[in-house]
Protein backbone atom coordinates (compact mmCIF):
# COMPACT_ATOMS: atom_id res chain seq x y z
CA UNK A 1 0.00 0.00 0.00
CA UNK A 2 2.79 2.40 0.94
CA UNK A 3 4.54 1.85 -2.40
CA UNK A 4 1.35 2.57 -4.34
CA UNK A 5 0.82 5.77 -2.36
CA UNK A 6 4.30 6.99 -3.15
CA UNK A 7 3.86 6.10 -6.82
CA UNK A 8 0.67 8.15 -7.02
CA UNK A 9 2.31 11.09 -5.28
CA UNK A 10 5.23 10.90 -7.69
CA UNK A 11 2.88 10.90 -10.67
CA UNK A 12 0.71 13.77 -9.51
CA UNK A 13 2.72 15.83 -7.06
CA UNK A 14 3.80 19.41 -7.22
CA UNK A 15 6.44 20.90 -4.96
CA UNK A 16 4.53 23.60 -3.17
CA UNK A 17 7.32 24.70 -0.87
CA UNK A 18 10.85 25.96 -0.85
CA UNK A 19 13.93 23.82 -0.38
CA UNK A 20 14.27 22.78 3.24
CA UNK A 21 10.54 23.10 3.94
CA UNK A 22 9.86 22.25 7.57
CA UNK A 23 6.53 20.47 7.07
CA UNK A 24 5.12 18.28 4.31
CA UNK A 25 1.38 17.81 3.83
CA UNK A 26 -0.11 14.94 1.86
CA UNK A 27 -3.21 16.40 0.22
CA UNK A 28 -5.83 14.32 -1.60
CA UNK A 29 -7.73 16.21 -4.30
CA UNK A 30 -9.99 15.93 -7.32
CA UNK A 31 -9.21 19.48 -8.48
CA UNK A 32 -8.60 19.70 -12.22
CA UNK A 33 -4.93 18.87 -12.79
CA UNK A 34 -4.17 22.12 -14.63
CA UNK A 35 -5.27 24.14 -11.58
CA UNK A 36 -3.15 22.40 -8.95
CA UNK A 37 0.07 24.29 -9.64
CA UNK A 38 -1.78 27.62 -9.53
CA UNK A 39 -3.36 26.84 -6.16
CA UNK A 40 -0.08 25.53 -4.75
CA UNK A 41 1.86 28.58 -5.88
CA UNK A 42 -0.57 30.96 -4.16
CA UNK A 43 -0.49 28.98 -0.91
CA UNK A 44 3.31 28.71 -0.98
CA UNK A 45 3.67 32.46 -1.35
CA UNK A 46 2.15 32.76 2.12
CA UNK A 47 3.66 29.62 3.66
CA UNK A 48 7.04 28.80 2.09
CA UNK A 49 7.83 26.47 4.99
CA UNK A 50 5.08 24.01 3.98
CA UNK A 51 5.43 21.57 1.11
CA UNK A 52 2.30 20.04 -0.44
CA UNK A 53 2.45 16.59 -2.03
CA UNK A 54 -0.67 15.96 -4.08
CA UNK A 55 -2.54 12.72 -4.71
CA UNK A 56 -4.93 13.70 -7.50
CA UNK A 57 -7.61 11.57 -9.16
CA UNK A 58 -11.30 11.69 -9.99
CA UNK A 59 -13.79 12.09 -7.16
CA UNK A 60 -14.93 8.48 -6.97
CA UNK A 61 -11.38 7.15 -6.93
CA UNK A 62 -10.21 9.58 -4.22
CA UNK A 63 -13.30 8.88 -2.10
CA UNK A 64 -12.82 5.11 -2.36
CA UNK A 65 -9.13 5.50 -1.50
CA UNK A 66 -9.88 7.54 1.61
CA UNK A 67 -12.50 5.04 2.79
CA UNK A 68 -10.10 2.15 2.21
CA UNK A 69 -7.52 3.94 4.37
CA UNK A 70 -9.99 4.71 7.18
CA UNK A 71 -8.13 2.65 9.78
CA UNK A 72 -4.69 3.72 8.57
CA UNK A 73 -5.07 7.20 7.05
CA UNK A 74 -2.28 8.54 4.87
CA UNK A 75 -3.67 11.94 3.88
CA UNK A 76 -3.44 15.02 6.08
CA UNK A 77 -5.94 17.18 4.21
CA UNK A 78 -8.60 16.86 1.54
CA UNK A 79 -8.69 20.00 -0.61
CA UNK A 80 -11.09 19.93 -3.54
CA UNK A 81 -13.41 16.91 -3.21
CA UNK A 82 -17.18 16.74 -3.61
CA UNK A 83 -19.15 17.85 -0.55
CA UNK A 84 -21.17 14.63 -0.78
CA UNK A 85 -17.89 12.75 -0.30
CA UNK A 86 -16.92 14.96 2.65
CA UNK A 87 -20.31 14.28 4.26
CA UNK A 88 -19.64 10.57 3.89
CA UNK A 89 -16.17 10.92 5.44
CA UNK A 90 -17.69 12.92 8.29
CA UNK A 91 -20.26 10.19 8.97
CA UNK A 92 -17.39 7.70 9.22
CA UNK A 93 -15.60 9.88 11.80
CA UNK A 94 -12.74 10.59 9.43
CA UNK A 95 -12.68 14.40 9.59
CA UNK A 96 -11.18 16.63 12.27
CA UNK A 97 -13.54 19.52 13.12
CA UNK A 98 -11.92 22.91 12.61
CA UNK A 99 -13.31 26.41 12.05
CA UNK A 100 -10.87 28.10 9.64
CA UNK A 101 -10.02 31.75 10.18
CA UNK A 102 -12.53 33.82 8.22
CA UNK A 103 -15.09 31.02 7.79
CA UNK A 104 -17.76 33.39 9.09
CA UNK A 105 -17.45 35.40 5.86
CA UNK A 106 -18.55 32.50 3.66
CA UNK A 107 -22.05 31.86 2.39
CA UNK A 108 -23.23 29.46 5.10
CA UNK A 109 -24.62 27.07 2.48
CA UNK A 110 -20.96 26.25 1.88
CA UNK A 111 -20.18 25.42 5.53
CA UNK A 112 -20.90 22.31 7.59
CA UNK A 113 -23.74 23.22 9.96
CA UNK A 114 -22.04 21.94 13.13
CA UNK A 115 -20.80 24.55 15.64
CA UNK A 116 -17.26 23.56 14.69
CA UNK A 117 -17.46 22.57 11.01
CA UNK A 118 -15.86 19.36 9.76
CA UNK A 119 -15.72 20.63 6.17
CA UNK A 120 -15.94 23.91 4.27
CA UNK A 121 -17.05 24.48 0.70
CA UNK A 122 -15.01 26.19 -1.99
CA UNK A 123 -17.10 26.48 -5.12
CA UNK A 124 -19.99 24.78 -6.89
CA UNK A 125 -20.06 22.96 -10.19
CA UNK A 126 -23.14 21.98 -12.10
CA UNK A 127 -24.15 19.52 -14.77
CA UNK A 128 -24.61 20.52 -18.37
CA UNK A 129 -24.63 19.06 -21.87
CA UNK A 130 -21.69 19.81 -24.16
CA UNK A 131 -23.03 19.79 -27.71
CA UNK A 132 -20.65 19.92 -30.67
CA UNK A 133 -22.59 21.88 -33.26
CA UNK A 134 -20.33 20.90 -36.18
CA UNK A 135 -20.36 17.15 -35.55
CA UNK A 136 -24.07 17.16 -34.69
CA UNK A 137 -24.90 18.90 -37.96
CA UNK A 138 -22.92 16.29 -39.91
CA UNK A 139 -25.07 13.59 -38.29
CA UNK A 140 -28.33 15.46 -38.79
CA UNK A 141 -28.99 15.81 -35.07
CA UNK A 142 -31.09 18.50 -33.47
CA UNK A 143 -29.95 20.03 -30.17
CA UNK A 144 -31.68 18.73 -27.02
CA UNK A 145 -33.29 21.17 -24.63
CA UNK A 146 -34.08 18.74 -21.81
CA UNK A 147 -32.90 15.54 -20.19
CA UNK A 148 -35.97 13.83 -21.65
CA UNK A 149 -34.87 14.78 -25.16
CA UNK A 150 -31.77 12.62 -24.77
CA UNK A 151 -33.95 9.50 -24.86
CA UNK A 152 -34.80 10.11 -28.53
CA UNK A 153 -33.57 7.50 -30.99
CA UNK A 154 -31.65 10.11 -33.02
CA UNK A 155 -29.02 10.20 -30.25
CA UNK A 156 -28.35 6.44 -30.14
CA UNK A 157 -24.59 5.90 -29.93
CA UNK A 158 -23.90 9.64 -29.89
CA UNK A 159 -23.86 10.24 -26.11
CA UNK A 160 -21.22 9.72 -23.45
CA UNK A 161 -21.35 10.47 -19.74
CA UNK A 162 -19.19 9.80 -16.66
CA UNK A 163 -19.37 6.61 -14.63
CA UNK A 164 -20.66 7.71 -11.18
CA UNK A 165 -18.45 5.17 -9.42
CA UNK A 166 -15.40 7.05 -10.68
CA UNK A 167 -16.65 10.57 -11.21
CA UNK A 168 -18.31 13.07 -8.90
CA UNK A 169 -19.96 14.62 -11.94
CA UNK A 170 -21.43 11.26 -12.90
CA UNK A 171 -22.71 10.78 -9.36
CA UNK A 172 -24.34 14.21 -9.19
CA UNK A 173 -26.12 13.42 -12.47
CA UNK A 174 -27.47 10.13 -11.16
CA UNK A 175 -28.36 11.57 -7.76
CA UNK A 176 -30.16 14.52 -9.33
CA UNK A 177 -32.21 12.32 -11.68
CA UNK A 178 -33.34 10.21 -8.71
CA UNK A 179 -34.32 13.39 -6.88
CA UNK A 180 -36.05 15.05 -9.84
CA UNK A 181 -37.86 12.00 -11.23
CA UNK A 182 -38.25 9.89 -8.09
CA UNK A 183 -36.54 6.56 -7.50
CA UNK A 184 -38.64 4.53 -9.93
CA UNK A 185 -38.74 7.28 -12.53
CA UNK A 186 -35.04 8.00 -12.15
CA UNK A 187 -33.98 4.42 -12.84
CA UNK A 188 -36.47 4.19 -15.70
CA UNK A 189 -34.91 7.35 -17.16
CA UNK A 190 -31.41 5.91 -16.89
CA UNK A 191 -32.57 2.64 -18.48
CA UNK A 192 -33.71 4.65 -21.50
CA UNK A 193 -30.60 6.82 -21.55
CA UNK A 194 -28.37 3.74 -21.39
CA UNK A 195 -29.70 2.61 -24.76
CA UNK A 196 -28.27 5.76 -26.35
CA UNK A 197 -24.97 5.85 -24.43
CA UNK A 198 -21.89 4.92 -26.45
CA UNK A 199 -19.74 4.55 -23.35
CA UNK A 200 -19.16 5.75 -19.78
CA UNK A 201 -15.89 7.50 -18.96
CA UNK A 202 -14.02 7.56 -15.66
CA UNK A 203 -13.62 11.34 -15.70
CA UNK A 204 -16.26 14.02 -15.31
CA UNK A 205 -14.54 16.39 -17.71
CA UNK A 206 -13.72 13.82 -20.40
CA UNK A 207 -17.18 13.73 -22.06
CA UNK A 208 -16.97 17.45 -22.70
CA UNK A 209 -13.34 17.26 -23.78
CA UNK A 210 -14.22 14.52 -26.28
CA UNK A 211 -17.18 16.51 -27.55
CA UNK A 212 -14.95 19.57 -27.91
CA UNK A 213 -12.47 17.49 -29.92
CA UNK A 214 -15.23 16.22 -32.21
CA UNK A 215 -14.88 12.59 -31.13
CA UNK A 216 -18.52 12.47 -29.99
CA UNK A 217 -21.27 15.01 -30.66
CA UNK A 218 -22.76 15.07 -27.14
CA UNK A 219 -21.08 14.76 -23.75
CA UNK A 220 -22.87 14.95 -20.41
CA UNK A 221 -20.36 16.83 -18.29
CA UNK A 222 -20.22 20.07 -16.31
CA UNK A 223 -20.44 23.70 -17.29
CA UNK A 224 -16.95 24.67 -16.09
CA UNK A 225 -15.33 22.24 -18.52
CA UNK A 226 -17.61 23.34 -21.35
CA UNK A 227 -16.81 27.01 -20.77
CA UNK A 228 -13.07 26.31 -20.84
CA UNK A 229 -13.32 24.30 -24.05
CA UNK A 230 -15.50 26.91 -25.72
CA UNK A 231 -13.10 29.67 -24.70
CA UNK A 232 -10.34 27.67 -26.40
CA UNK A 233 -12.32 27.72 -29.65
CA UNK A 234 -14.29 24.47 -29.57
CA UNK A 235 -17.61 24.58 -31.49
CA UNK A 236 -19.69 23.85 -28.41
CA UNK A 237 -23.10 24.84 -27.17
CA UNK A 238 -23.41 24.41 -23.41
CA UNK A 239 -26.99 23.32 -22.79
CA UNK A 240 -28.82 23.59 -19.46
CA UNK A 241 -31.67 21.03 -19.49
CA UNK A 242 -35.06 22.50 -18.73
CA UNK A 243 -35.92 20.10 -15.87
CA UNK A 244 -33.02 21.39 -13.77
CA UNK A 245 -29.46 20.27 -13.13
CA UNK A 246 -27.58 18.48 -10.43
CA UNK A 247 -24.67 20.16 -8.71
CA UNK A 248 -22.16 19.68 -5.97
CA UNK A 249 -19.54 21.67 -4.11
CA UNK A 250 -15.82 21.25 -4.00
CA UNK A 251 -14.93 21.18 -0.33
CA UNK A 252 -12.00 20.82 2.05
CA UNK A 253 -11.38 19.23 5.42
CA UNK A 254 -8.67 17.91 7.74
CA UNK A 255 -8.25 14.15 8.08
CA UNK A 256 -8.68 13.04 11.69
CA UNK A 257 -5.49 11.81 13.31
CA UNK A 258 -3.03 13.83 11.25
CA UNK A 259 0.11 14.78 13.13
CA UNK A 260 0.45 17.92 10.99
CA UNK A 261 -2.38 19.86 12.62
CA UNK A 262 -0.79 23.30 12.47
CA UNK A 263 0.10 23.08 8.78
CA UNK A 264 -3.24 21.47 7.95
CA UNK A 265 -5.09 24.30 9.67
CA UNK A 266 -3.08 26.87 7.73
CA UNK A 267 -4.13 25.19 4.48
CA UNK A 268 -7.80 25.26 5.54
CA UNK A 269 -7.43 28.94 6.50
CA UNK A 270 -6.14 29.62 3.01
CA UNK A 271 -8.83 27.49 1.37
CA UNK A 272 -11.61 29.76 2.71
CA UNK A 273 -9.78 33.03 2.09
CA UNK A 274 -10.92 35.69 -0.33
CA UNK A 275 -7.74 35.20 -2.36
CA UNK A 276 -8.43 31.49 -2.77
CA UNK A 277 -12.04 32.13 -3.76
CA UNK A 278 -10.85 34.57 -6.41
CA UNK A 279 -8.77 31.72 -7.83
CA UNK A 280 -11.75 29.36 -7.75
CA UNK A 281 -13.75 31.92 -9.71
CA UNK A 282 -11.45 31.59 -12.70
CA UNK A 283 -13.27 28.38 -13.52
CA UNK A 284 -16.40 28.39 -11.37
CA UNK A 285 -19.19 30.90 -11.57
CA UNK A 286 -20.38 30.16 -8.01
CA UNK A 287 -17.91 30.39 -5.11
CA UNK A 288 -18.27 30.29 -1.34
CA UNK A 289 -17.13 33.86 -0.59
CA UNK A 290 -19.98 36.34 -1.29
CA UNK A 291 -19.23 39.23 -3.60
CA UNK A 292 -16.16 37.61 -5.14
CA UNK A 293 -17.65 35.86 -8.15
CA UNK A 294 -17.37 37.60 -11.49
CA UNK A 295 -18.99 36.32 -14.69
CA UNK A 296 -17.12 33.39 -16.24
CA UNK A 297 -16.77 33.61 -20.00
CA UNK A 298 -19.12 31.29 -21.90
CA UNK A 299 -21.02 30.08 -18.84
CA UNK A 300 -24.62 29.50 -19.98
CA UNK A 301 -27.31 31.87 -18.83
CA UNK A 302 -29.69 30.62 -16.18
CA UNK A 303 -27.26 28.05 -14.83
CA UNK A 304 -27.54 29.03 -11.16
CA UNK A 305 -31.33 29.27 -11.36
CA UNK A 306 -31.49 25.75 -12.84
CA UNK A 307 -29.55 24.16 -9.96
CA UNK A 308 -31.95 21.88 -8.10
CA UNK A 309 -32.61 22.09 -4.36
CA UNK A 310 -30.01 19.40 -3.84
CA UNK A 311 -30.49 17.02 -0.92
CA UNK A 312 -26.85 16.41 0.00
CA UNK A 313 -27.82 14.17 2.92
CA UNK A 314 -29.80 11.93 0.56
CA UNK A 315 -26.87 11.77 -1.84
CA UNK A 316 -24.33 10.99 0.88
CA UNK A 317 -26.44 8.53 2.86
CA UNK A 318 -27.52 6.55 -0.20
CA UNK A 319 -24.30 6.80 -2.19
CA UNK A 320 -23.17 3.20 -1.77
CA UNK A 321 -26.59 1.73 -2.64
CA UNK A 322 -26.99 4.02 -5.66
CA UNK A 323 -23.56 3.10 -7.00
CA UNK A 324 -24.17 -0.64 -6.55
CA UNK A 325 -27.46 -0.40 -8.44
CA UNK A 326 -25.96 1.69 -11.22
CA UNK A 327 -23.05 -0.71 -11.64
CA UNK A 328 -25.32 -3.76 -11.81
CA UNK A 329 -27.38 -2.13 -14.58
CA UNK A 330 -24.97 -0.20 -16.76
CA UNK A 331 -21.30 -0.90 -16.07
CA UNK A 332 -20.94 -3.04 -19.19
CA UNK A 333 -20.45 0.09 -21.29
CA UNK A 334 -17.78 1.64 -19.05
CA UNK A 335 -14.30 2.39 -20.32
CA UNK A 336 -11.60 0.03 -19.05
CA UNK A 337 -9.93 1.31 -15.88
Amino acid sequence: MKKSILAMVGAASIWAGAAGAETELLVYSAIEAEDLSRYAEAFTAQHPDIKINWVRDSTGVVTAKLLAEKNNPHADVVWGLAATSLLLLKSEGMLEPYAPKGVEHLNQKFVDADDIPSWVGMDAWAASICYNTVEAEKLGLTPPTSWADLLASQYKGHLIMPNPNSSGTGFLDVSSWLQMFGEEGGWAYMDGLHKNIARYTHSGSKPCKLAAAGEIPIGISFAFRGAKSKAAGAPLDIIVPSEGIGWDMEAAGIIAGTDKQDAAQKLLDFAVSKEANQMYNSGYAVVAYPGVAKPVEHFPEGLEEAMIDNDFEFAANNRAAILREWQSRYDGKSDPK
Side-chain angles (χ1 to χ4, degrees):
M1 175 64 78
K2 192 69 174 178
K3 287 183 178 178
S4 64
I5 289 286
L6 293 174
M8 288 183 70
V9 172
S13 69
I14 297 167
W15 188 298
E22 295 178 1
T23 306
E24 294 189 19
L25 286 176
L26 185 58
V27 178
Y28 283 17
S29 180
I31 292 169
E32 289 290 293
E34 61 260 37
D35 291 325
L36 291 181
S37 58
R38 202 161 47 85
Y39 290 10
E41 183 179 355
F43 175 71
T44 302
Q46 295 184 19
H47 300 285
D49 58 331
I50 299 174
K51 174 185 175 181
I52 295 178
N53 292 314
W54 299 98
V55 171
R56 192 270 163 199
D57 214 315
S58 58
T59 298
V61 174
V62 174
T63 304
K65 185 171 180 58
L66 284 161
L67 291 171
E69 296 172 359
K70 176 182 175 180
N71 295 322
N72 183 27
H74 297 279
D76 299 300
V77 176
V78 177
W79 186 19
L81 192 67
T84 46
S85 293
L86 270 292
L87 280 165
L88 180 59
L89 298 180
K90 178 186 173 183
S91 73
E92 295 290 330
M94 295 174 62
L95 297 179
E96 185 76 32
Y98 173 63
K101 295 175 183 176
V103 70
E104 68 277 7
H105 299 307
L106 300 187
N107 182 329
Q108 292 306 293
K109 291 181 180 179
F110 284 80
V111 181
D112 180 23
D114 288 356
D115 290 340
I116 303 177
S118 292
W119 58 268
V120 288
M122 301 158 54
D123 47 57
W125 84 97
S128 68
I129 298 169
C130 293
Y131 183 82
N132 187 306
T133 56
V134 173
E135 296 304 314
E137 185 176 3
K138 290 178 184 176
L139 294 165
L141 304 180
T142 55
T145 62
S146 66
W147 293 120
D149 286 350
L150 294 181
L151 303 184
S153 59
Q154 66 169 312
Y155 301 121
K156 186 175 179 63
H158 300 313
L159 299 175
I160 55 174
M161 72 165 282
N163 180 323
N165 280 284
S166 307
S167 161
T169 304
F171 182 70
L172 71 83
D173 287 323
V174 172
S175 172
S176 69
W177 293 331
L178 292 170
Q179 291 181 60
M180 286 189 289
F181 306 141
E183 184 171 358
E184 184 177 345
W187 289 115
Y189 173 75
M190 286 181 269
D191 285 345
L193 186 68
H194 182 68
K195 296 175 183 177
N196 287 346
I197 293 286
R199 67 187 222 261
Y200 299 98
T201 69
H202 293 295
S203 159
S205 59
K206 193 169 184 179
C208 196
K209 289 179 179 178
L210 293 175
E215 295 186 35
I216 195 86
I218 304 173
I220 298 172
S221 189
F222 56 102
F224 156 63
R225 184 69 260 172
K228 275 198 166 184
S229 295
K230 190 166 184 175
L236 290 180
D237 281 347
I238 306 168
I239 297 169
V240 179
S242 59
E243 300 96 333
I245 52 175
W247 61 285
D248 206 336
M249 288 182 276
E250 286 190 315
I254 298 173
I255 298 297
T258 178
D259 59 359
K260 314 278 181 62
Q261 275 286 344
D262 183 63
Q265 289 178 2
K266 287 177 180 176
L267 182 55
L268 262 289
D269 293 343
F270 177 79
V272 306
S273 68
K274 187 173 184 179
E275 177 184 353
N277 276 260
Q278 288 169 336
M279 287 195 306
Y280 307 152
N281 185 226
S282 67
Y284 293 85
V286 182
V287 298
Y289 203 112
V292 165
K294 297 178 181 178
V296 174
E297 186 181 16
H298 299 304
F299 256 75
E301 292 184 6
L303 182 83
E304 195 167 350
E305 292 76 13
M307 291 162 62
I308 66 169
D309 185 12
N310 203 354
D311 187 341
F312 287 103
E313 294 288 346
F314 164 81
N317 294 339
N318 294 283
R319 186 176 187 275
I322 291 169
L323 293 178
R324 281 195 302 270
E325 182 67 19
W326 188 95
Q327 184 161 342
S328 71
R329 290 175 181 245
Y330 314 124
D331 198 44
K333 287 187 178 181
S334 291
D335 284 349
K337 290 186 178 179

